[in-house]
Amino acid sequence: MNMKNVVITGASKGIGEAISLRLSSEGYRVCAIARGTKELKQLTVKGGTNIIPFQADVTDPRKIEEIFQHIEKDLGPIQVLINNAGIYQGIHFWDQDISTINTIIDINLKGSLFCTRLILPYFISRRKGRIINIASVSGVRGIPKETAYGAAKHGMVGMADALAQEVKPYGILVTTICPGAVDTPLWREGDTVYHGDLNQVMRPEEIAGLVSFLLAQSEHTIYKRIVVFPHNEWH
Ligand SMILES: NC(=O)c1ccc[n+]([C@@H]2O[C@H](COP(=O)([O-])OP(=O)(O)OC[C@H]3O[C@@H](n4cnc5c(N)ncnc54)[C@H](OP(=O)(O)O)[C@@H]3O)[C@@H](O)[C@H]2O)c1
């Protein structure tokens, strides 16, 4: 009950997996949310008993609410929410299916809004809590072939900017990390291609290191937005 509880969405692969493994190794209890049970199981095998898997889709607010209630009741207060779940498609907007536009907005943006909305009553009642959003450089500038994705990520940045001010009087801190390319399964699965050298982009462990750094900082200092990208990009 005395461990610090972190909830992270999209925990089973890529950046989410690296953050989960880093924080669990530092003694946090990581409540790891993703849809795929097999990948969640693999995560717990790698990360051990500090990782508690929760199979859920961030687009299902009722299920997310149930999970938060369960954690608060049985594992103790949630101290940190990390909105990381996301999907990507790099494609000319005129070629993108309407259903994919919907899914990109639903998972990346509405999933983050739902999880944030549902955690706030706990954080506000305790006047304490941290929310870390994993957005993208696509949330701070326009990138061709990322129209829907960029709209979702700009939305996350806008959400965080407004919310950070609303919740500041309640001692709640909101930080958004906007990474450039990171070498994760996002670039290696399905029809998504990285048109460059994946060896030159960032490692998921670098983002995990940033999150670990943020959680170690004093609550008197606000880290509003961190834009971070590999040397072969500029944003
Ligand atoms: N890789 C990059 O270059 C890069 C750069 C900037 C920002 N980002 C952002 O970083 C975040 C993580 O990306 P990544 O590269 O680590 O991607 P990834 O390797 O594809 O992993 C995505 C994770 O999100 C989960 N997920 C997807 N849809 C979900 C849903 N509806 N509900 C719950 N979990 C869901 C996936 O598991 P399931 O499919 O089993 O649910 C998986 O665990 C995303 O928000 C992405 O936009 C990535």
Side-chain angles (χ1 to χ4, degrees), residues 9-17 33-37 39 56-59 83-88 107-108 134-137 149 153 156 177-187 189 201-202 204:
T9 66
S12 62
K13 290 188 246 167
I15 294 170
E17 178 190 38
I33 296 177
R35 292 169 302 181
T37 41
E39 289 82 2
D57 189 322
V58 291
T59 64
N83 287 311
N84 168 72
I87 58 160
Y88 175 86
I107 296 178
N108 294 277
I134 310 296
S136 166
V137 289
Y149 181 77
K153 294 302 189 182
M156 283 180 78
I177 301 178
C178 297
V182 184
D183 184 5
T184 71
L186 178 142
W187 296 113
E189 289 175 354
V201 306
M202 292 183 292

Side-chain angles (χ1 to χ4, degrees), residues 9-11 13 33-36 56-61 64 82-89 98-116 133-135 148-149 151-153 155-156 159 186:
T9 66
K13 290 188 246 167
I33 296 177
R35 292 169 302 181
D57 189 322
V58 291
T59 64
D60 180 353
I64 296 294
I82 304 175
N83 287 311
N84 168 72
I87 58 160
Y88 175 86
Q89 187 185 38
I98 295 292
S99 67
T100 309
I101 296 171
N102 244 328
T103 313
I104 286 175
I105 300 295
D106 278 350
I107 296 178
N108 294 277
L109 178 56
K110 286 168 72 181
S112 303
L113 285 163
F114 293 162
C115 291
T116 302
N133 302 301
I134 310 296
Y149 181 77
K153 294 302 189 182
M156 283 180 78
M159 164 187 94
L186 178 142

Side-chain angles (χ1 to χ4, degrees), residues 201-222:
V201 306
M202 292 183 292
R203 308 287 113 198
E205 292 74 19
E206 293 177 63
I207 308 300
L210 254 179
V211 171
S212 161
F213 166 83
L214 286 169
L215 295 185
Q217 299 314 298
S218 139
E219 288 165 13
H220 295 285
T221 305
I222 295 177

Side-chain angles (χ1 to χ4, degrees), residues 115-161:
C115 291
T116 302
R117 168 66 186 83
L118 293 168
I119 208 76
L120 282 178
Y122 299 109
F123 285 2
I124 287 173
S125 68
R126 293 192 283 267
R127 301 185 81 86
K128 200 174 171 61
R130 277 186 192 260
I131 298 169
I132 299 177
N133 302 301
I134 310 296
S136 166
V137 289
S138 210
V140 289
R141 59 168 288 235
I143 299 179
K145 293 190 168 180
E146 297 188 2
T147 298
Y149 181 77
K153 294 302 189 182
H154 271 76
M156 283 180 78
V157 170
M159 164 187 94
D161 275 7

